[in-house]
Amino acid sequence: MSTRVLTGITTSGTPHLGNYAGAIRPAIAASTRPGTDAFYFMADYHALIKCDDPARVARSRLEIAATWLAGGLDPDRVTFYRQSDVPEIPELCWLLTCVTAKGLMNRAHAYKASVDQNTAKGVDPDDGINMGLFSYPILMAADILMFNAHKVPVGRDQIQHLEMARDIAQRFNHLYGRDYFVLPEVVIEEEVATLPGLDGRKMSKSYNNTIPLFEGGAAALRAAVMRIVTDSRQPGEPKDAEGSHLYTIYRAFATPAESAAFRAQLEDGMGWGEAKQALCDRLERDLAPMRERYQALMASPARIEDILQAGAQKARKLAVPFMQELRQAVGLRAATPAAAKTAAKKSGKAARFVSFRDDDGSFRFRLLAADGQELLRSRGFANPKDAGALLQRLQSGAAQDLLQADGTVYSVVLDGDTVAQGPQAADEAQRDALLAQTRQALASLAG
């Protein structure tokens, strides 16, 4: 059995070194392991919580997609998509919202931090806090639970949100009497889970202490590294490697042997300027080839869009039928065959088979919905008895096990032969809706 791994990054800014080391790089590495089913996405709905600049969000979606691809993500091997291209995610978010206690959201770190800041300023505790920020963990839970991810690589500051996702999943499973959702597990790379920024705090756009990944090229990278805060020890004085932000960043990119050598040099008195240059050189070895790929992708946005749309189609192949199952679970069900029969009796109409002879002389039949829409059309038969025998078999309820979906159509396949086919749909979501309607019609006839 494969292990499904899922992670995402918010599209509210340009990716920096911390994003790459803490989330993107380990996610890409995980996608190459045997037995891994990887789902990676851009969390553009999350971006709206803290960014009201449409141009920035649009630009960030492009930059982040290019970053993942330049970093080595293989879109043919993984499911790579934008959150906003899968409408089932916000729908699931609402179902989860309706089973989540407000008290659980009150304990979320991001919300509590905002309340504490407001209290310190002497303003209303909820001043400036929108419902997106307050219920952010529920949308994150929907991202994860929509695809029943087993493992979720995150930064250490996101562990609480994973715990909340587990709580929400357990609550839903308990309420509706079945394990609809897998309980996700946190994956942390201890060495690089939280990369320090220029001032030693977590590297974050919020602190304006980031080191650029690709933007600005090698010159911008070097300029940022040279601004990393160090202590006042002079060249020749031993340095505290473990307490050095420089060493922490270096170790996140170097081999164990390289890290050990760099540490020894610091402890032997290497100057901070020389150490910063060594860090630049080490980073550039990894980043230069990726930067070249990134620039080529950014120059071809249509190529990125094609990749993302293909990824969204892959994601929705799972999301659409699963969402139908969840709607059933909570009571948002289609009419049952009995109810459909009652409604049909009142209206004088019902789903029905209609036999006819085609212009070429062959014998066929159609399955029509109560409103007259064609749901199935058989292939032509030279002998009307063969067409009638197949029709009787479908009326018995056997067609439920013979229906197969492929692309934007669905068919009745008997002994490897397609004997009837549904109408061409505009997309897979419409196909699935037609397929559900066909199953309901067949069930009403069998009943």
Side-chain angles (χ1 to χ4, degrees):
M1 177 179 174
S2 63
T3 299
R4 182 163 294 165
V5 178
L6 178 145
T7 196
I9 187 168
T10 307
T11 58
S12 59
T14 302
H16 55 71
L17 199 67
N19 298 141
Y20 174 71
I24 299 173
R25 183 179 62 182
I28 292 173
S31 73
T32 65
R33 295 172 191 149
T36 296
D37 181 17
F39 281 62
Y40 300 138
F41 70 98
M42 285 170 291
D44 47 357
Y45 278 138
H46 287 292
L48 304 182
I49 296 170
K50 53 187 177 182
C51 182
D52 58 5
D53 181 350
R56 182 182 176 189
V57 172
R59 176 72 178 177
S60 180
R61 297 201 314 169
L62 191 64
E63 291 173 338
I64 289 172
T67 298
W68 284 70
L69 295 168
L73 188 71
D74 182 354
D76 294 328
R77 184 166 186 161
V78 306
T79 304
F80 182 50
Y81 59 98
R82 279 182 301 237
Q83 184 186 37
S84 61
D85 287 332
V86 184
E88 291 73 25
I89 292 173
E91 183 178 358
L92 174 58
C93 182
W94 180 250
L95 297 190
L96 300 181
T97 298
C98 293
V99 303
T100 301
K102 178 178 178 290
L104 182 64
M105 294 299 97
N106 288 342
R107 295 191 289 275
H109 294 329
Y111 172 65
K112 288 176 65 179
S114 295
V115 169
D116 290 344
Q117 289 173 8
N118 285 336
T119 301
K121 290 187 291 187
V123 299
D124 184 89
D126 287 326
D127 183 61
I129 298 175
N130 58 42
M131 287 303 298
L133 173 65
F134 182 71
S135 58
Y136 167 91
I138 306 178
L139 180 54
M140 183 171 172
D143 293 327
I144 298 164
L145 301 178
M146 182 79 259
F147 301 106
N148 273 327
H150 301 105
K151 296 184 181 296
V152 184
V154 295
R156 193 166 293 281
D157 59 328
Q158 293 287 328
I159 291 177
Q160 186 200 41
H161 290 154
L162 261 294
E163 293 171 346
M164 288 180 166
R166 290 172 62 91
D167 290 343
I168 294 168
Q170 285 178 312
R171 175 66 174 161
F172 189 99
N173 290 346
H174 175 73
L175 280 174
Y176 295 105
R178 211 184 90 196
D179 288 341
Y180 291 95
F181 299 121
V182 170
L183 303 187
E185 297 178 10
V186 173
V187 177
I188 298 287
E189 276 204 358
E190 293 295 340
E191 294 296 312
V192 297
T194 303
L195 210 60
L198 305 182
D199 57 4
R201 292 180 296 177
K202 174 194 171 186
M203 192 178 296
S204 170
K205 293 181 286 286
S206 302
Y207 299 144
N208 193 29
N209 69 348
T210 62
I211 297 174
L213 183 60
F214 299 136
E215 286 297 301
L221 175 70
R222 186 178 188 282
V225 169
M226 293 302 169
R227 295 199 307 273
I228 294 176
V229 175
T230 57
D231 61 32
S232 59
R233 299 180 202 190
Q234 298 299 309
E237 293 185 68
K239 311 297 188 295
D240 176 14
E242 285 299 326
S244 166
H245 314 319
L246 276 174
Y247 177 66
T248 301
I249 298 172
Y250 190 98
R251 187 173 57 187
F253 287 85
T255 65
E258 290 171 335
S259 297
F262 187 60
R263 175 174 183 156
Q265 289 176 306
L266 287 172
E267 293 175 347
D268 287 343
M270 174 191 278
W272 289 124
E274 186 180 354
K276 290 178 179 180
Q277 185 58 53
L279 175 58
C280 285
D281 293 342
R282 185 61 190 81
L283 292 175
E284 192 63 14
R285 278 169 49 193
D286 285 357
L287 302 186
M290 289 191 288
R291 189 186 300 121
E292 185 176 346
R293 293 193 293 269
Y294 172 84
Q295 291 168 346
L297 285 162
M298 289 296 291
S300 182
R303 180 183 168 196
I304 296 175
E305 186 65 23
D306 288 345
I307 291 171
L308 291 172
Q309 289 302 320
Q313 287 182 12
K314 286 170 66 176
R316 296 196 71 207
K317 283 183 180 179
L318 295 177
V320 170
F322 188 39
M323 201 63 233
Q324 290 175 341
E325 185 179 352
L326 296 175
R327 290 191 198 109
Q328 289 280 326
V330 302
L332 305 179
R333 303 183 178 100
T336 63
K341 274 188 161 185
T342 302
K345 187 174 181 180
K346 288 181 179 179
S347 66
K349 295 181 180 180
R352 61 200 183 278
F353 281 106
V354 176
S355 299
F356 66 99
R357 192 167 189 177
D358 213 341
D359 293 340
D360 63 3
S362 64
F363 296 89
R364 299 175 183 267
F365 59 83
R366 299 185 183 96
L367 171 62
L368 302 178
D371 61 2
Q373 180 183 12
E374 184 176 295
L375 299 176
L376 281 174
R377 177 182 290 229
S378 75
R379 67 173 176 82
F381 292 88
N383 187 332
K385 291 184 179 180
D386 292 336
L390 175 61
L391 191 154
Q392 288 182 348
R393 183 167 181 178
L394 299 186
Q395 283 180 316
S396 72
Q400 294 283 359
D401 298 324
L402 303 176
L403 284 168
Q404 295 183 14
D406 182 18
T408 54
V409 297
Y410 58 91
S411 309
V412 177
V413 180
L414 179 62
D415 298 327
D417 185 23
T418 298
V419 295
Q421 193 169 61
Q424 178 73 47
D427 54 33
E428 291 182 358
Q430 184 185 39
R431 178 208 67 193
D432 289 336
L434 287 168
L435 185 54
Q437 190 177 359
T438 302
R439 292 185 187 279
Q440 181 179 321
L442 290 169
S444 69
L445 290 168

